[in-house]
Amino acid sequence: MEITKICCIGAGYVGGPTMAVIAQKCPNIKVTVVDLNEQRIKDWNDPNTDNIPIYEPGLSEIVAEARGRNLFFSTEVEKAIDEAQVIFISVNTPTKTYGKGKGMAADLKYIELCARQIAKVAKQNKIVVEKSTLPVRTAEAIKSILDNTGNGVQFQILSNPEFLAEGTAVTDLLNPDRILIGGDTTTEGQEAINALVNVYANWVEKDKILTTNVWSSELSKLTANAFLAQRISSINAMSELCEKTGADVSEVAKAIGMDSRIGAKFLKASVGFGGSCFQKDILNLVYIAKSYGLNEVADYWEQVIIMNDHQKRRFSNKIVQTLYNTVADKKITFLGWAFKKDTNDTRESAAIYVADDLINEQAKISVYDPKVQRHKMLSDLDYLETRTKEENSNALTIFENPYESCKGAHAIAVLTEWDEFITYDWQKIYDSMRKPAFLFDGRNILNAKELEKIGFIYKGIGS
Ligand code: NAD
Ligand code: UGA
Protein backbone atom coordinates (compact mmCIF):
# COMPACT_ATOMS: atom_id res chain seq x y z
CA MET A 1 0.00 0.00 0.00
CA GLU A 2 1.33 3.46 -0.83
CA ILE A 3 0.66 6.08 1.81
CA THR A 4 -0.60 9.40 0.47
CA LYS A 5 -2.54 10.77 3.45
CA ILE A 6 -1.45 10.89 7.06
CA CYS A 7 -3.27 12.30 10.05
CA CYS A 8 -1.58 12.96 13.39
CA ILE A 9 -3.67 13.45 16.51
CA GLY A 10 -1.78 15.77 18.88
CA ALA A 11 0.09 18.89 17.76
CA GLY A 12 2.55 18.95 20.66
CA TYR A 13 6.31 18.66 21.04
CA VAL A 14 6.30 15.32 19.22
CA GLY A 15 3.38 15.56 16.78
CA GLY A 16 4.29 19.03 15.47
CA PRO A 17 8.02 18.56 14.69
CA THR A 18 7.69 14.91 13.58
CA MET A 19 4.93 15.64 11.10
CA ALA A 20 6.67 18.78 9.83
CA VAL A 21 9.72 16.66 8.95
CA ILE A 22 7.62 13.89 7.35
CA ALA A 23 5.83 16.55 5.26
CA GLN A 24 9.11 18.18 4.25
CA LYS A 25 10.71 14.88 3.25
CA CYS A 26 7.62 13.36 1.59
CA PRO A 27 6.05 16.10 -0.57
CA ASN A 28 3.64 13.55 -2.07
CA ILE A 29 2.05 12.77 1.28
CA LYS A 30 -0.62 15.08 2.65
CA VAL A 31 0.02 15.42 6.38
CA THR A 32 -2.69 16.88 8.62
CA VAL A 33 -1.94 17.51 12.30
CA VAL A 34 -5.02 17.91 14.46
CA ASP A 35 -5.52 18.95 18.06
CA LEU A 36 -8.42 19.77 20.37
CA ASN A 37 -6.53 22.80 21.60
CA GLU A 38 -7.73 25.60 19.31
CA GLN A 39 -5.11 28.09 20.44
CA ARG A 40 -2.31 25.64 19.74
CA ILE A 41 -3.58 25.06 16.17
CA LYS A 42 -4.03 28.80 15.68
CA ASP A 43 -0.40 29.30 16.74
CA TRP A 44 0.82 26.57 14.36
CA ASN A 45 -1.01 28.46 11.60
CA ASP A 46 0.45 31.85 12.54
CA PRO A 47 1.48 33.54 9.25
CA ASN A 48 4.85 34.34 10.86
CA THR A 49 6.41 30.92 11.45
CA ASP A 50 8.65 32.40 14.16
CA ASN A 51 5.51 32.43 16.31
CA ILE A 52 4.71 28.70 16.11
CA PRO A 53 4.04 27.34 19.60
CA ILE A 54 7.15 25.20 19.92
CA TYR A 55 10.63 26.59 19.80
CA GLU A 56 13.12 24.18 18.22
CA PRO A 57 16.16 25.26 16.20
CA GLY A 58 15.37 24.85 12.46
CA LEU A 59 11.68 24.05 12.94
CA SER A 60 10.15 27.33 11.82
CA GLU A 61 12.00 27.09 8.46
CA ILE A 62 10.63 23.59 7.82
CA VAL A 63 7.10 24.67 8.71
CA ALA A 64 7.47 27.67 6.41
CA GLU A 65 8.47 25.37 3.55
CA ALA A 66 5.80 22.67 3.96
CA ARG A 67 2.80 24.39 5.54
CA GLY A 68 0.01 24.97 3.04
CA ARG A 69 1.78 22.69 0.51
CA ASN A 70 1.32 19.27 2.11
CA LEU A 71 1.38 20.13 5.83
CA PHE A 72 -1.80 21.31 7.51
CA PHE A 73 -2.77 22.11 11.09
CA SER A 74 -6.44 21.83 11.93
CA THR A 75 -9.01 21.31 14.69
CA GLU A 76 -11.19 19.20 12.40
CA VAL A 77 -10.18 15.90 13.97
CA GLU A 78 -12.88 13.70 12.45
CA LYS A 79 -12.38 14.97 8.90
CA ALA A 80 -8.65 14.30 9.11
CA ILE A 81 -9.19 10.79 10.52
CA ASP A 82 -11.71 10.00 7.80
CA GLU A 83 -9.35 11.08 5.00
CA ALA A 84 -6.16 9.41 6.20
CA GLN A 85 -4.81 5.91 5.57
CA VAL A 86 -2.45 6.21 8.50
CA ILE A 87 -3.29 7.85 11.83
CA PHE A 88 -0.52 8.65 14.29
CA ILE A 89 -1.60 9.01 17.90
CA SER A 90 0.73 11.56 19.45
CA VAL A 91 -1.23 12.78 22.44
CA ASN A 92 0.10 13.26 25.95
CA THR A 93 0.37 10.30 28.33
CA PRO A 94 1.05 11.99 31.69
CA THR A 95 1.40 10.30 35.06
CA LYS A 96 -2.02 9.56 36.55
CA THR A 97 -3.10 12.04 39.20
CA TYR A 98 -6.09 10.03 40.46
CA GLY A 99 -7.38 6.56 41.19
CA LYS A 100 -5.49 3.30 40.81
CA GLY A 101 -1.84 3.86 39.96
CA LYS A 102 -2.01 7.54 41.02
CA GLY A 103 1.44 9.13 40.83
CA MET A 104 2.91 6.14 38.95
CA ALA A 105 0.94 4.73 36.03
CA ALA A 106 0.52 6.49 32.68
CA ASP A 107 -2.86 8.14 32.24
CA LEU A 108 -4.26 6.61 29.08
CA LYS A 109 -7.53 8.53 28.94
CA TYR A 110 -6.39 10.68 25.99
CA ILE A 111 -5.23 7.58 24.12
CA GLU A 112 -8.55 5.83 24.68
CA LEU A 113 -10.43 8.90 23.51
CA CYS A 114 -8.43 8.86 20.27
CA ALA A 115 -9.12 5.14 19.75
CA ARG A 116 -12.84 5.65 20.26
CA GLN A 117 -12.90 8.60 17.90
CA ILE A 118 -11.01 6.68 15.21
CA ALA A 119 -13.38 3.71 15.61
CA LYS A 120 -16.40 5.96 15.26
CA VAL A 121 -15.22 7.82 12.17
CA ALA A 122 -13.31 5.21 10.14
CA LYS A 123 -15.18 3.85 7.13
CA GLN A 124 -12.14 2.28 5.46
CA ASN A 125 -9.28 0.14 6.72
CA LYS A 126 -6.67 2.17 8.61
CA ILE A 127 -3.22 1.82 10.07
CA VAL A 128 -3.11 3.27 13.59
CA VAL A 129 0.36 4.18 14.81
CA GLU A 130 1.24 4.60 18.48
CA LYS A 131 3.65 7.53 18.46
CA SER A 132 3.05 8.44 22.10
CA THR A 133 5.10 6.61 24.71
CA LEU A 134 2.91 3.86 26.13
CA PRO A 135 2.99 1.04 28.64
CA VAL A 136 3.84 -2.30 27.09
CA ARG A 137 0.70 -4.06 25.78
CA THR A 138 -1.30 -0.85 25.23
CA ALA A 139 -1.79 -1.86 21.59
CA GLU A 140 -3.95 -4.70 22.87
CA ALA A 141 -6.36 -2.24 24.52
CA ILE A 142 -6.40 0.03 21.48
CA LYS A 143 -7.14 -2.92 19.21
CA SER A 144 -9.96 -4.10 21.44
CA ILE A 145 -11.61 -0.66 21.41
CA LEU A 146 -11.20 -0.31 17.65
CA ASP A 147 -12.52 -3.77 16.87
CA ASN A 148 -15.42 -3.65 19.30
CA THR A 149 -16.69 -0.13 18.68
CA GLY A 150 -15.76 0.34 15.01
CA ASN A 151 -17.76 0.08 11.81
CA GLY A 152 -16.44 -3.35 10.90
CA VAL A 153 -13.36 -2.02 9.07
CA GLN A 154 -9.89 -3.54 9.63
CA PHE A 155 -7.29 -1.82 11.79
CA GLN A 156 -3.59 -2.56 12.01
CA ILE A 157 -1.87 -1.20 15.10
CA LEU A 158 1.80 -0.30 14.85
CA SER A 159 4.10 0.93 17.56
CA ASN A 160 6.50 3.60 16.32
CA PRO A 161 7.93 5.34 19.39
CA GLU A 162 9.71 8.65 19.04
CA PHE A 163 13.27 9.10 20.31
CA LEU A 164 13.81 12.80 19.56
CA ALA A 165 15.14 15.02 22.34
CA GLU A 166 13.85 18.55 22.74
CA GLY A 167 16.23 21.27 21.68
CA THR A 168 17.63 18.99 18.97
CA ALA A 169 14.29 17.68 17.63
CA VAL A 170 14.89 18.68 14.02
CA THR A 171 18.37 17.16 13.69
CA ASP A 172 17.23 14.07 15.61
CA LEU A 173 14.31 13.64 13.19
CA LEU A 174 16.42 14.27 10.10
CA ASN A 175 19.24 11.95 11.21
CA PRO A 176 17.76 9.44 13.65
CA ASP A 177 19.96 6.77 15.26
CA ARG A 178 17.16 4.38 14.36
CA ILE A 179 13.47 4.24 13.52
CA LEU A 180 11.63 1.55 15.43
CA ILE A 181 8.44 0.01 14.06
CA GLY A 182 6.62 -2.80 15.84
CA GLY A 183 3.72 -4.65 14.28
CA ASP A 184 1.80 -7.89 14.07
CA THR A 185 3.53 -10.94 12.64
CA THR A 186 0.51 -11.62 10.39
CA THR A 187 0.61 -10.85 6.64
CA GLU A 188 -1.58 -7.77 7.18
CA GLY A 189 0.67 -6.68 10.06
CA GLN A 190 3.77 -7.02 7.88
CA GLU A 191 2.10 -5.05 5.08
CA ALA A 192 1.33 -2.25 7.48
CA ILE A 193 4.93 -2.27 8.75
CA ASN A 194 6.23 -2.08 5.17
CA ALA A 195 3.93 0.83 4.35
CA LEU A 196 5.36 2.83 7.26
CA VAL A 197 8.93 1.73 6.54
CA ASN A 198 8.50 3.19 3.03
CA VAL A 199 7.46 6.56 4.46
CA TYR A 200 10.63 6.81 6.57
CA ALA A 201 12.78 5.39 3.77
CA ASN A 202 12.27 8.70 1.95
CA TRP A 203 15.11 10.06 4.07
CA VAL A 204 16.33 7.38 6.50
CA GLU A 205 18.68 4.59 5.39
CA LYS A 206 16.93 1.23 5.38
CA ASP A 207 19.43 -0.40 7.76
CA LYS A 208 18.48 2.15 10.40
CA ILE A 209 14.83 1.15 10.23
CA LEU A 210 14.30 -1.60 12.75
CA THR A 211 11.15 -3.74 12.77
CA THR A 212 10.03 -5.83 15.75
CA ASN A 213 6.90 -7.21 17.30
CA VAL A 214 4.59 -4.66 18.94
CA TRP A 215 5.50 -5.47 22.54
CA SER A 216 9.26 -5.20 21.99
CA SER A 217 8.77 -1.83 20.35
CA GLU A 218 6.56 -0.48 23.15
CA LEU A 219 8.93 -1.73 25.84
CA SER A 220 12.08 -0.53 24.03
CA LYS A 221 10.91 3.07 24.33
CA LEU A 222 10.46 2.87 28.11
CA THR A 223 13.76 1.01 28.36
CA ALA A 224 15.66 3.62 26.35
CA ASN A 225 14.43 6.45 28.56
CA ALA A 226 15.14 4.46 31.72
CA PHE A 227 18.74 3.76 30.60
CA LEU A 228 19.33 7.39 29.64
CA ALA A 229 17.96 8.72 32.91
CA GLN A 230 19.91 6.08 34.83
CA ARG A 231 23.19 7.40 33.42
CA ILE A 232 22.36 10.88 34.69
CA SER A 233 21.43 9.62 38.15
CA SER A 234 24.59 7.51 38.19
CA ILE A 235 26.88 10.43 37.44
CA ASN A 236 24.90 12.67 39.79
CA ALA A 237 25.38 10.11 42.58
CA MET A 238 29.11 10.25 41.93
CA SER A 239 28.98 14.08 41.96
CA GLU A 240 28.02 14.04 45.62
CA LEU A 241 30.88 11.69 46.42
CA CYS A 242 33.24 13.92 44.42
CA GLU A 243 32.26 16.92 46.54
CA LYS A 244 33.23 15.02 49.67
CA THR A 245 36.49 13.58 48.40
CA GLY A 246 38.16 16.25 46.29
CA ALA A 247 37.57 14.38 43.03
CA ASP A 248 36.12 16.40 40.15
CA VAL A 249 33.07 14.84 38.49
CA SER A 250 33.88 16.29 35.05
CA GLU A 251 37.28 14.62 35.18
CA VAL A 252 35.74 11.36 36.35
CA ALA A 253 33.12 11.53 33.57
CA LYS A 254 35.81 12.12 30.97
CA ALA A 255 37.94 9.29 32.28
CA ILE A 256 35.14 6.74 32.27
CA GLY A 257 33.57 8.04 29.06
CA MET A 258 36.74 7.22 27.11
CA ASP A 259 36.02 3.57 27.76
CA SER A 260 34.23 2.68 24.55
CA ARG A 261 31.99 0.29 26.45
CA ILE A 262 30.71 3.16 28.59
CA GLY A 263 30.77 5.98 26.02
CA ALA A 264 31.06 9.72 26.62
CA LYS A 265 27.48 10.90 26.08
CA PHE A 266 24.92 11.59 28.78
CA LEU A 267 27.45 11.79 31.59
CA LYS A 268 27.01 15.44 32.49
CA ALA A 269 26.39 15.92 36.18
CA SER A 270 23.66 18.46 36.77
CA VAL A 271 21.10 19.85 39.16
CA GLY A 272 18.95 16.91 38.02
CA PHE A 273 17.15 15.85 34.89
CA GLY A 274 13.86 17.46 33.97
CA GLY A 275 11.53 17.22 31.01
CA SER A 276 8.13 15.69 30.58
CA CYS A 277 9.27 12.14 29.98
CA PHE A 278 12.13 10.63 32.01
CA GLN A 279 10.33 10.70 35.34
CA LYS A 280 6.94 9.83 33.89
CA ASP A 281 8.29 6.90 31.88
CA ILE A 282 10.34 5.43 34.73
CA LEU A 283 7.40 5.70 37.13
CA ASN A 284 5.35 3.91 34.51
CA LEU A 285 8.01 1.20 34.21
CA VAL A 286 8.08 0.81 37.99
CA TYR A 287 4.30 0.52 38.04
CA ILE A 288 4.31 -2.12 35.30
CA ALA A 289 7.02 -4.14 37.08
CA LYS A 290 5.07 -3.97 40.36
CA SER A 291 1.87 -5.01 38.65
CA TYR A 292 3.63 -8.22 37.56
CA GLY A 293 4.93 -8.70 41.11
CA LEU A 294 8.52 -7.88 40.09
CA ASN A 295 9.37 -5.86 43.17
CA GLU A 296 13.16 -6.01 42.81
CA VAL A 297 12.91 -4.76 39.23
CA ALA A 298 10.59 -1.96 40.35
CA ASP A 299 12.86 -0.91 43.25
CA TYR A 300 15.91 -0.94 41.01
CA TRP A 301 14.43 1.60 38.58
CA GLU A 302 12.71 3.68 41.24
CA GLN A 303 16.13 4.50 42.65
CA VAL A 304 16.84 6.57 39.50
CA ILE A 305 13.99 8.92 40.46
CA ILE A 306 14.92 8.96 44.15
CA MET A 307 18.46 10.01 43.22
CA ASN A 308 17.17 12.72 40.89
CA ASP A 309 14.89 14.21 43.55
CA HIS A 310 17.79 14.12 45.98
CA GLN A 311 20.02 15.97 43.51
CA LYS A 312 17.50 18.82 43.08
CA ARG A 313 17.00 19.15 46.84
CA ARG A 314 20.74 18.94 47.47
CA PHE A 315 21.25 21.90 45.13
CA SER A 316 18.76 24.13 46.96
CA ASN A 317 20.13 23.01 50.34
CA LYS A 318 23.62 23.90 49.23
CA ILE A 319 22.51 27.41 48.30
CA VAL A 320 20.92 27.92 51.73
CA GLN A 321 23.89 26.47 53.63
CA THR A 322 26.42 28.48 51.67
CA LEU A 323 24.50 31.73 52.19
CA TYR A 324 25.10 31.39 55.94
CA ASN A 325 22.06 29.15 56.50
CA THR A 326 19.51 31.79 55.63
CA VAL A 327 18.15 33.10 52.36
CA ALA A 328 15.19 34.96 53.86
CA ASP A 329 14.65 38.20 51.89
CA LYS A 330 17.80 37.56 49.88
CA LYS A 331 17.67 38.06 46.13
CA ILE A 332 18.71 34.93 44.27
CA THR A 333 18.83 35.13 40.50
CA PHE A 334 18.09 32.10 38.33
CA LEU A 335 19.68 32.06 34.92
CA GLY A 336 17.44 29.69 33.00
CA TRP A 337 14.07 28.14 33.73
CA ALA A 338 13.67 25.69 30.78
CA PHE A 339 14.53 22.05 31.55
CA LYS A 340 17.37 22.20 29.02
CA LYS A 341 18.76 24.66 26.50
CA ASP A 342 17.21 25.42 23.11
CA THR A 343 13.65 24.71 24.18
CA ASN A 344 10.84 26.76 25.71
CA ASP A 345 9.58 23.64 27.48
CA THR A 346 9.64 23.81 31.28
CA ARG A 347 7.87 20.57 32.20
CA GLU A 348 9.48 19.04 35.31
CA SER A 349 12.36 21.51 35.05
CA ALA A 350 14.69 21.37 38.06
CA ALA A 351 14.33 25.17 38.28
CA ILE A 352 10.72 24.80 39.45
CA TYR A 353 11.65 22.62 42.41
CA VAL A 354 14.72 24.61 43.39
CA ALA A 355 12.64 27.81 43.29
CA ASP A 356 9.93 26.17 45.39
CA ASP A 357 12.46 25.12 48.05
CA LEU A 358 14.06 28.55 48.17
CA ILE A 359 10.73 30.39 48.32
CA ASN A 360 9.84 28.17 51.28
CA GLU A 361 12.95 29.67 52.89
CA GLN A 362 11.53 33.12 52.03
CA ALA A 363 14.07 33.95 49.34
CA LYS A 364 13.19 36.42 46.59
CA ILE A 365 13.77 34.76 43.25
CA SER A 366 14.56 36.68 40.06
CA VAL A 367 14.59 34.81 36.78
CA TYR A 368 15.89 35.39 33.31
CA ASP A 369 15.32 32.81 30.58
CA PRO A 370 15.76 33.64 26.89
CA LYS A 371 12.71 31.64 25.73
CA VAL A 372 10.33 30.99 28.62
CA GLN A 373 7.44 33.39 29.14
CA ARG A 374 6.50 34.86 32.49
CA HIS A 375 3.06 33.27 32.72
CA LYS A 376 4.61 29.83 32.15
CA MET A 377 7.04 30.22 35.07
CA LEU A 378 4.27 31.33 37.39
CA SER A 379 1.92 28.57 36.32
CA ASP A 380 4.71 26.02 36.90
CA LEU A 381 4.96 27.18 40.51
CA ASP A 382 1.19 27.44 40.97
CA TYR A 383 0.86 23.85 39.76
CA LEU A 384 2.80 22.61 42.80
CA GLU A 385 0.09 24.12 45.04
CA THR A 386 2.65 24.94 47.73
CA ARG A 387 1.25 28.45 48.17
CA THR A 388 -1.28 30.85 46.65
CA LYS A 389 -0.90 32.39 43.21
CA GLU A 390 -0.46 35.78 44.83
CA GLU A 391 2.34 34.51 47.07
CA ASN A 392 4.12 32.97 44.08
CA SER A 393 3.76 36.12 42.08
CA ASN A 394 5.24 38.15 44.96
CA ALA A 395 8.17 35.76 45.37
CA LEU A 396 9.14 35.54 41.68
CA THR A 397 10.33 38.50 39.61
CA ILE A 398 10.89 37.86 35.94
CA PHE A 399 13.31 39.91 33.86
CA GLU A 400 13.83 40.29 30.14
CA ASN A 401 17.42 41.43 30.56
CA PRO A 402 19.94 39.13 32.28
CA TYR A 403 22.09 41.99 33.61
CA GLU A 404 19.05 43.63 35.22
CA SER A 405 18.06 40.29 36.75
CA CYS A 406 21.43 39.98 38.51
CA LYS A 407 21.63 43.53 39.92
CA GLY A 408 21.77 43.51 43.71
CA ALA A 409 21.59 39.71 43.93
CA HIS A 410 23.27 37.80 46.74
CA ALA A 411 23.67 34.77 44.53
CA ILE A 412 23.18 33.52 40.99
CA ALA A 413 22.09 29.97 40.21
CA VAL A 414 22.51 28.60 36.68
CA LEU A 415 19.58 26.22 36.09
CA THR A 416 19.69 25.80 32.31
CA GLU A 417 22.76 25.42 30.11
CA TRP A 418 21.86 28.18 27.58
CA ASP A 419 24.98 28.99 25.50
CA GLU A 420 24.51 32.73 25.89
CA PHE A 421 25.28 32.53 29.64
CA ILE A 422 28.88 31.61 28.81
CA THR A 423 29.45 34.80 26.83
CA TYR A 424 28.12 37.26 29.43
CA ASP A 425 30.26 40.08 30.82
CA TRP A 426 30.74 38.41 34.20
CA GLN A 427 32.84 41.26 35.57
CA LYS A 428 29.91 43.61 34.98
CA ILE A 429 27.54 41.17 36.66
CA TYR A 430 29.89 40.76 39.63
CA ASP A 431 30.18 44.52 40.06
CA SER A 432 26.39 44.88 40.23
CA MET A 433 25.90 42.20 42.91
CA ARG A 434 26.03 42.20 46.70
CA LYS A 435 29.27 40.91 48.17
CA PRO A 436 30.33 38.27 48.71
CA ALA A 437 28.88 37.28 45.35
CA PHE A 438 27.98 33.60 45.04
CA LEU A 439 27.54 31.63 41.83
CA PHE A 440 25.98 28.16 41.87
CA ASP A 441 26.51 26.54 38.50
CA GLY A 442 23.91 23.77 38.29
CA ARG A 443 25.12 22.84 34.82
CA ASN A 444 28.89 23.19 35.13
CA ILE A 445 28.99 25.41 32.04
CA LEU A 446 30.96 28.39 33.33
CA ASN A 447 34.69 28.75 33.77
CA ALA A 448 35.25 28.38 37.51
CA LYS A 449 38.82 29.69 37.50
CA GLU A 450 37.96 32.91 35.61
CA LEU A 451 34.95 33.59 37.81
CA GLU A 452 36.98 33.04 40.98
CA LYS A 453 39.59 35.45 39.62
CA ILE A 454 36.86 38.10 39.29
CA GLY A 455 35.90 37.48 42.94
CA PHE A 456 32.91 35.15 42.73
CA ILE A 457 32.54 32.34 45.23
CA TYR A 458 31.87 29.63 42.66
CA LYS A 459 30.16 26.31 43.40
CA GLY A 460 29.72 23.82 40.60
CA ILE A 461 28.20 20.36 40.76
CA GLY A 462 30.57 17.63 41.85
CA SER A 463 33.76 19.56 42.52
P1 NAD B 1 2.17 17.58 24.34
O1 NAD B 1 1.39 17.75 25.59
O2 NAD B 1 3.14 18.63 23.92
O3 NAD B 1 1.15 17.37 23.11
C1 NAD B 1 0.05 16.53 23.15
C2 NAD B 1 -1.10 17.21 22.42
O4 NAD B 1 -2.18 16.29 22.27
C3 NAD B 1 -1.69 18.42 23.14
O5 NAD B 1 -1.60 19.57 22.31
C4 NAD B 1 -3.15 18.02 23.42
O6 NAD B 1 -4.06 19.10 23.30
C5 NAD B 1 -3.39 17.00 22.33
N1 NAD B 1 -4.50 16.08 22.60
C6 NAD B 1 -4.73 15.34 23.72
N2 NAD B 1 -5.83 14.58 23.55
C7 NAD B 1 -6.30 14.82 22.32
C8 NAD B 1 -7.40 14.32 21.57
N3 NAD B 1 -8.22 13.38 22.06
N4 NAD B 1 -7.59 14.79 20.32
C9 NAD B 1 -6.77 15.73 19.81
N5 NAD B 1 -5.71 16.23 20.46
C10 NAD B 1 -5.47 15.78 21.70
O7 NAD B 1 2.91 16.17 24.47
P2 NAD B 1 4.27 15.71 23.74
O8 NAD B 1 5.45 16.24 24.49
O9 NAD B 1 4.17 15.96 22.29
O10 NAD B 1 4.23 14.14 24.02
C11 NAD B 1 3.32 13.31 23.36
C12 NAD B 1 3.74 11.87 23.58
O11 NAD B 1 5.03 11.64 23.00
C13 NAD B 1 3.87 11.44 25.04
O12 NAD B 1 3.46 10.11 25.17
C14 NAD B 1 5.36 11.54 25.30
O13 NAD B 1 5.79 10.64 26.31
C15 NAD B 1 5.94 11.13 23.98
N6 NAD B 1 7.29 11.67 23.68
C16 NAD B 1 7.59 12.97 23.96
C17 NAD B 1 8.84 13.48 23.63
C18 NAD B 1 9.22 14.91 23.92
O14 NAD B 1 10.37 15.25 23.71
N7 NAD B 1 8.33 15.77 24.37
C19 NAD B 1 9.77 12.66 22.97
C20 NAD B 1 9.42 11.35 22.69
C21 NAD B 1 8.17 10.86 23.04
C1 UGA C 1 14.65 12.50 26.33
C2 UGA C 1 15.45 11.49 25.51
O1 UGA C 1 16.79 11.94 25.36
C3 UGA C 1 14.81 11.29 24.14
O2 UGA C 1 15.51 10.27 23.42
C4 UGA C 1 13.35 10.88 24.32
O3 UGA C 1 12.71 10.76 23.07
C5 UGA C 1 12.63 11.92 25.15
O4 UGA C 1 13.32 12.08 26.42
C6 UGA C 1 11.23 11.57 25.48
O5 UGA C 1 10.84 10.42 25.43
O6 UGA C 1 10.54 12.53 25.82
P1 UGA C 1 14.50 15.16 26.42
O7 UGA C 1 13.89 14.92 27.75
O8 UGA C 1 13.79 16.03 25.46
O9 UGA C 1 14.73 13.75 25.66
O10 UGA C 1 15.96 15.77 26.59
P2 UGA C 1 17.35 15.14 27.12
O11 UGA C 1 18.43 15.67 26.27
O12 UGA C 1 17.28 13.68 27.26
O13 UGA C 1 17.50 15.80 28.55
C7 UGA C 1 16.67 15.43 29.62
C8 UGA C 1 17.17 16.07 30.90
O14 UGA C 1 18.38 15.45 31.31
C9 UGA C 1 17.47 17.55 30.79
O15 UGA C 1 17.04 18.21 31.94
C10 UGA C 1 18.97 17.58 30.65
O16 UGA C 1 19.52 18.78 31.09
C11 UGA C 1 19.37 16.44 31.55
N1 UGA C 1 20.71 15.88 31.24
C12 UGA C 1 20.94 15.32 30.02
C13 UGA C 1 21.69 15.88 32.22
O17 UGA C 1 21.49 16.37 33.34
N2 UGA C 1 22.92 15.33 31.93
C14 UGA C 1 23.18 14.77 30.72
O18 UGA C 1 24.32 14.27 30.53
C15 UGA C 1 22.18 14.77 29.75
Side-chain angles (χ1 to χ4, degrees), residues 317-439:
N317 283 344
K318 184 162 208 163
I319 294 178
V320 177
Q321 276 164 15
T322 312
L323 296 183
Y324 315 109
N325 286 316
T326 174
V327 288
D329 294 323
K330 289 182 180 168
K331 174 172 172 175
I332 300 174
T333 298
F334 281 20
L335 292 180
W337 189 269
F339 82 97
K340 63 183 284 197
K341 73 172 179 180
D342 292 336
T343 177
N344 59 352
D345 194 349
T346 64
R347 291 177 287 182
E348 292 299 327
S349 179
I352 304 167
Y353 298 93
V354 176
D356 192 51
D357 283 351
L358 294 176
I359 296 171
N360 280 343
E361 292 293 328
Q362 301 190 348
K364 297 280 180 208
I365 307 292
S366 293
V367 193
Y368 166 77
D369 186 289
K371 288 288 173 199
V372 180
Q373 291 172 342
R374 179 190 156 76
H375 69 88
K376 191 79 211 34
M377 298 184 198
L378 284 171
S379 72
D380 287 338
L381 271 182
D382 293 343
Y383 187 74
L384 298 181
E385 294 184 345
T386 314
R387 56 192 82 73
T388 65
K389 287 185 179 195
E390 203 184 340
E391 285 166 334
N392 282 332
S393 155
N394 289 336
L396 202 72
T397 313
I398 294 143
F399 287 83
E400 296 201 346
N401 178 307
Y403 293 94
E404 288 300 317
S405 75
C406 295
K407 265 189 195 158
H410 291 81
I412 293 172
V414 177
L415 272 307
T416 314
E417 70 279 25
W418 287 101
D419 289 336
E420 65 173 66
F421 299 162
I422 300 167
T423 61
Y424 284 176
D425 180 345
W426 283 98
Q427 181 69 56
K428 182 173 161 189
I429 291 176
Y430 177 79
D431 291 342
S432 75
M433 289 174 65
R434 285 176 191 263
K435 307 297 174 322
F438 294 92
L439 208 162

Side-chain angles (χ1 to χ4, degrees), residues 163-164 166 221 225 266 268 270 273-274 277 339-340 443:
F163 296 98
L164 69 81
E166 290 179 29
K221 173 62 195 177
N225 274 0
F266 253 70
K268 246 188 138 359
S270 69
F273 60 75
C277 292
F339 82 97
K340 63 183 284 197
R443 298 288 176 171

Side-chain angles (χ1 to χ4, degrees), residues 10 26 32 56 79 92 107 138 151 195 210 214 217 239 244 282 310 319 339 344 348 353 359 383 445 450 462:
C26 312
T32 308
E56 279 291 339
K79 179 165 177 269
N92 36 330
D107 190 344
T138 303
N151 304 313
L210 192 65
V214 186
S217 173
S239 77
K244 296 282 182 216
I282 293 178
H310 171 67
I319 294 178
F339 82 97
N344 59 352
E348 292 299 327
Y353 298 93
I359 296 171
Y383 187 74
I445 53 167
E450 275 176 22

